[in-house]
Structure formats: structure tokens, C-alpha cells
Amino acid sequence: MNKRTEILETAAELISGGERERNYGTPADNFGRIAAGWSVILEKDVSAEQVALCMAWLKIARLVNGPHEDSYIDAAAYMALAGELSGC
């Protein structure tokens, strides 16, 4: 298996439900709660999709300092969740 497939498969495992969803709720529910809090702090509406995009950006920003496999995996996972939450 090549590295790109390994990263995507690991990201898929992380977001396929399971323990994370049991601990934090569905992505729509969890990111919805985060969006509600960020909306208060930022004094503007924030969507669950925007939360996922911001979290992906956080992971990408960390990668500027050097490669870290977990940040690549997490960024891929957040982008997949953003796509799901966008309704596309």
C-alpha cells in the first residue's frame, strides 16, 4: 500500500463512527456545538461545515513547521467531514 492510500484509509477509520462518535457525538452534532460556541465568540454565524474547514486549516498550518503524519491524516479527515456537512 502506498502512503497516500494509508493516510486516507487511516482518516476514514477515524471518521467512520466508533469510539470518537460515541465520545463526542455525530460530526453534525459535535461540530454544531462547536459552531454555536464560535458564533458567540466571533459574534457572527458559524456553520458546522466551517468548523470542519477551520480544523483542517489548523492541521495544515501546523504542517508549515514540518511534516507530521497525524496532521496529514487529521486534515484529510476534517476535509471529508466538511464535504459531508456541506451536503455535496
Side-chain angles (χ1 to χ4, degrees), residues 12-84:
E13 289 172 14
L14 290 174
I15 61 173
S16 65
E19 184 176 349
R20 284 187 184 215
E21 200 159 303
R22 284 190 301 277
N23 289 338
Y24 306 121
T26 67
D29 289 342
N30 185 34
F31 289 0
R33 283 189 296 272
I34 295 167
W38 288 4
S39 294
V40 171
I41 293 167
L42 298 172
E43 298 180 341
K44 63 187 294 178
D45 287 338
V46 176
S47 70
E49 177 193 4
Q50 289 171 317
V51 169
L53 291 171
C54 288
M55 294 304 293
W57 181 249
L58 176 137
K59 295 298 183 170
I60 293 165
R62 288 180 176 178
L63 287 166
V64 171
N65 205 41
H68 301 280
E69 185 172 336
D70 64 312
S71 289
Y72 286 110
I73 292 166
D74 290 346
Y78 283 125
M79 290 305 297
L81 292 169
E84 178 181 295

